[in-house]
Structure formats: structure tokens, C-alpha cells
Amino acid sequence: MPGRGHRVPEQPVFGRRLRELRVARGLSQAELVGAELSAAYLSRLESGARPPTERVLALLCARLDVSPSEFLAPVSSPLAQALATVATVGESPQAATLLEDALLRDGEGDAVLRWHVQWLLARSYQAQGREADELRVLRALVALSDEIDLPDLQARSQVRLARRLRASGQLNEARTAAGHALTWATEYKLPFRDVAEATLTMISIDAETGQLGDARTRADQLIHALSEDFAGPLTDQIPTRLQVEVLWTAAGVAVRQGDRTGTAELLRAALERMPSNDDPVLWMRLRLAAASMYLQMDPRDTVCARRTLDEAASAAALVGMPLHQLEVLLLQCQLAFHEGRFADARELSDRLGPQPEGMSRRDHVALEILRNQLAIVDGDRAAAQAAMERIAKEARESGNVELSAEAWRALAESLSAANGTTPG
């Protein structure tokens, strides 16, 4: 039995071993915890989402009739070694190499450990802009979570897959994945974070497919749930990252509805809530998103867009990955166009190159739109206008109503600019 001060095993190793011991004894989660703990809490322990306390460790050791050493990871596990190493190097190309190697060496190892390795590998690919690799790993992650059969892992895997599919323009499949995640999170009464992540993903998909009423209803319900469940509007009991993402996502719906005031208020609340020393990467990403939304307003708010973009650019130079640098350049290019600085916009467009490697599909389309806008201003109206109309129609046919509307708006603005009127 563990005594006071005994070293508590770390996650995710503890959760993996806990599940192995429980299953080996033929116990359900409810049978193992009895009246002392909840089955939902045990599920979070087994998935690695919660660390065990000394009291919980003592209780589980007594019920399973094992010593705490039973929960320690074998030193020889390549998966466990990779997880420990990656914790020190972050989401870098080096991390991806370490994780890939661990999966090759121990591809049939413990399923929960493999899940955590694939989860981190997908994040590393995302940070590097390796979309195809990220999508491949996320599909494997979903399949593995179904094999493990833990609702926590299933919901989180589906959310990550839905977000990647949405970014790739595969909106129907993204909606299906987000729906699965929301079902898992609500039916199994997972932590509020899991419900919120799935709901936020569904809101973004609703907004892009033109279902703005549904998106606004979900966003309002989520903000209300945060206030009701935690006794105050977005209180400090909720992780800052989640608070910011709720406000950020709600702002994205408001701007698409043409609610300029609501968008500005939500963005202001999100920006004020995110201190730069808390999570520098999230701080930067929030400002990139804010700059983009300011440029989507009608009329476009180039003053606020410039301020937040300058802040994001400074942060990206310090903590950003190559993907973030591309996002900064694209937004700077768009801002220059909307400010009537066409020569600067062309120079920035040239710096991005013909087909920037690592840029998201949506940003590739936005860059194509911008380059056709510049072509129209330069007098090459017929070919560029035809290209813009094609983009708008293809976006509409794929279900991306928002992107289609933005393409038509960009066409109108570029024609106006070509006639001597500065875009608003």
C-alpha cells in the first residue's frame, strides 16, 4: 500500500496500466470504483485525462490488490520513452521524427500509449502544415480510439478529425465527425471541456455552410452554459484557452451575420482575456484570427486589423511555426490590398511564392482570390473575373457558402478598385 509521500505514477502510463489491471480481473469501471469514486472519473483516469492523487492511488491499489509499482512504465517501451522525450522538445520536426520512430519500433504496443503518441504526432504535423500526414494520422487515431473503447478518447479523436476535415474543405465528413464527438461527449457525460470542443467545432462548420442561425444558437447556448455551470460569465474556473475559443468562435459567427458591433465586442473580450505570458502561441493565433475577422467586416476595419496583425507578426517571429509565418504574410497582403497599397500587396504576394508549401487549403483559395483581385486592378479583367467566378461557384458546390460569398464580394471590390475606387 502506498504511504504518504509515495511517488504518484504519471499519465498516460498510469491510465494504460489501470485499464489493463481492471480488464484482467474482469471488472467494469463501476465495479472497480464502488461508492468511493465515479465511473466517469475512472474513465478520465484510464484515458490519461486526469492524474491520480495519492488517495485515489491508495484506493485503487487496495481494490486491485497491487502495489504502486504495478503502475510504472517499463523502461524498455519505445512509446513511453518517446512521450517522455517529446514533452521537452514540443511540436517540432524533431518531435515528429521521434514519434514516427517509436510507432515503427512498437507499432503493436499498448493501445493507449499508441493513442497518445499518434495524438502528439498529429499536432506536430499540424504545426508544420503537413495536412495530408495530419489527416492520415487522425483517421488512424479515430480507429484506434474505437478499438480502445474509451469515450474520452473517442470524442477527442473525432473533434480533431472534424477540425482537420473542415480546414481541408471536406465539410460533410467534418460535420459527421463533429456530430459523433458531440454524441460521445453528451451521452457519456464527459467533462465540460469535451462538450465545448465538439460544440465549437460544429459551430464553425455551421457557419461555413451558411447555417448561421444554427451556429448562432449553438454559440449563445455555449456561452450561457459557461455562465450557468460556473456561476458567472466565463469565470476563471474555466481554462483560459477554452474561454478564448468560445468568444473567438462566437465572433466568427457574428461577423458572418453582419453583426459588426457584436463581432467587435466578442473580439475585444477575447483579446483582453488572453495574456501574452500565459500561452504565447494561442495569443498569436487569436490575433491572427482577429485580424482576419476585422478584414471580413462590412465595411472592413483595416485599423483594428493592422493593430492586431502587427502584434501577431511580432509574436510569430519569436514563437511561430512556418505555417504561422505564411498566415501573417497572407493577411498582410490582404490588408495592403484593402488599404489601397497595391504595390505592397504585389510584393507580399511574390514573397509567398506560386504555391506556398504548408499553407492550408482555405488560405490557398484566399491567396488565389487576392491574386485575381490584383490582376483585375492591373487591367487583366476578363481572365481574372472568370477565375473569381469559378472559385465562387466551386465553393458553393462544395457546400462552403461563406467562401463563395467572400469570393463574390472580393470580385465586386476589385472591379470597384479597378475603376478608381479604393476598396472599403
Side-chain angles (χ1 to χ4, degrees):
M1 295 294 294
R4 182 176 298 276
H6 195 286
R7 183 167 70 90
V8 177
E10 296 182 355
Q11 292 286 25
V13 174
F14 174 82
R16 166 185 58 86
R17 186 58 179 151
L18 173 59
R19 185 171 188 272
E20 288 177 351
L21 292 169
R22 176 178 63 78
V23 172
R25 286 158 175 74
L27 298 173
S28 68
Q29 291 180 336
E31 289 170 337
L32 175 58
V33 297
E36 287 86 352
L37 302 172
S38 71
Y41 177 73
L42 185 68
S43 177
R44 293 195 286 276
L45 286 175
E46 290 188 353
S47 70
R50 289 286 299 273
T53 64
E54 286 191 24
R55 184 186 74 81
V56 168
L57 177 61
L59 173 65
L60 292 173
C61 284
R63 286 188 170 274
L64 293 167
D65 192 24
V66 297
S67 68
S69 63
E70 288 287 338
F71 294 100
L72 298 177
V75 176
S76 60
S77 169
L79 297 172
Q81 290 176 346
L83 288 172
T85 304
V86 168
T88 66
V89 299
E91 297 162 8
S92 64
Q94 180 187 0
T97 301
L98 287 169
L99 296 168
E100 290 166 343
D101 181 64
L103 288 170
L104 285 174
R105 292 166 57 201
D106 198 6
E108 299 301 320
D110 176 76
V112 175
L113 273 181
R114 278 189 286 130
W115 187 93
H116 281 277
V117 167
Q118 289 181 341
W119 175 272
L120 292 177
L121 183 57
R123 289 187 58 173
S124 182
Y125 286 152
Q126 179 188 33
Q128 296 173 57
R130 295 170 60 178
E131 292 186 20
D133 287 328
E134 182 191 358
L135 183 57
R136 170 180 53 79
V137 171
L138 288 175
R139 291 192 188 282
L141 192 69
V142 167
L144 184 57
S145 70
D146 289 339
E147 174 188 326
I148 297 169
D149 196 25
L150 285 174
D152 308 61
L153 304 189
Q154 289 171 305
R156 291 166 196 167
S157 301
Q158 293 283 7
V159 165
R160 288 287 302 279
L161 176 61
R163 290 183 172 181
R164 174 69 268 152
L165 290 167
R166 169 184 165 259
S168 301
Q170 301 174 61
L171 298 178
N172 289 334
E173 191 178 353
R175 180 182 296 281
T176 299
H180 288 325
L182 196 52
T183 298
W184 284 114
T186 53
E187 289 190 359
Y188 286 89
K189 296 180 171 42
L190 297 184
F192 182 80
R193 182 193 72 178
D194 292 301
V195 177
E197 295 277 10
T199 304
L200 288 169
T201 306
M202 190 66 82
I203 290 170
S204 298
I205 296 168
D206 283 343
E208 288 201 9
T209 54
Q211 300 181 53
L212 295 178
D214 291 343
R216 188 62 176 262
T217 297
R218 290 184 194 274
D220 290 344
Q221 289 174 343
L222 187 54
I223 291 177
H224 179 72
L226 287 170
S227 302
E228 288 290 312
D229 291 350
F230 296 90
L234 298 176
T235 68
D236 290 338
Q237 299 176 58
I238 306 166
T240 300
R241 180 192 65 80
L242 185 55
Q243 296 179 42
V244 168
E245 288 199 13
V246 168
L247 294 165
W248 166 357
T249 304
V253 176
V255 74
R256 291 173 173 92
Q257 289 185 312
D259 182 359
R260 184 183 177 89
T261 301
T263 303
E265 290 176 352
L266 288 163
L267 285 176
R268 181 165 51 251
L271 291 165
E272 290 174 353
R273 199 169 295 272
M274 185 74 247
S276 60
N277 60 349
D278 189 6
D279 185 338
V281 174
L282 180 60
W283 188 90
M284 171 197 64
R285 289 179 55 231
L286 172 59
R287 277 152 180 76
L288 287 172
S292 177
M293 279 185 257
Y294 285 129
L295 290 179
Q296 293 175 51
M297 287 181 172
D298 189 10
R300 303 185 194 268
D301 188 343
T302 55
V303 174
C304 287
R306 172 171 288 281
R307 172 174 51 79
T308 50
L309 182 53
D310 286 346
E311 292 171 347
S314 297
L318 298 174
V319 300
M321 298 290 288
L323 174 63
H324 301 130
Q325 303 287 353
L326 291 174
E327 291 176 0
V328 168
L329 274 176
L330 176 59
L331 284 167
Q332 288 174 334
C333 192
Q334 292 173 323
L335 176 62
F337 181 87
H338 294 306
E339 289 181 333
R341 297 182 290 109
F342 303 133
D344 290 343
R346 293 185 195 96
E347 189 272 331
L348 289 163
S349 173
D350 291 341
R351 283 174 58 187
L352 282 165
Q355 290 290 326
E357 186 177 351
M359 181 179 278
S360 71
R361 175 187 175 278
R362 182 180 179 81
D363 282 349
H364 271 295
V365 175
L367 180 59
E368 185 181 1
I369 289 174
L370 184 62
R371 285 173 170 166
N372 280 295
Q373 286 182 290
L374 288 170
I376 289 173
V377 170
D378 289 340
D380 187 10
R381 179 174 300 191
Q385 182 172 341
M388 297 271 276
E389 291 174 353
R390 172 186 54 77
I391 293 170
K393 291 174 181 176
E394 288 178 352
R396 182 81 186 191
E397 290 169 358
S398 69
N400 198 325
V401 176
E402 180 218 354
L403 182 59
S404 178
E406 182 59 27
W408 286 118
R409 180 185 181 188
L411 175 57
E413 287 180 335
S414 55
L415 291 173
S416 177
N419 292 327
T421 303
T422 301

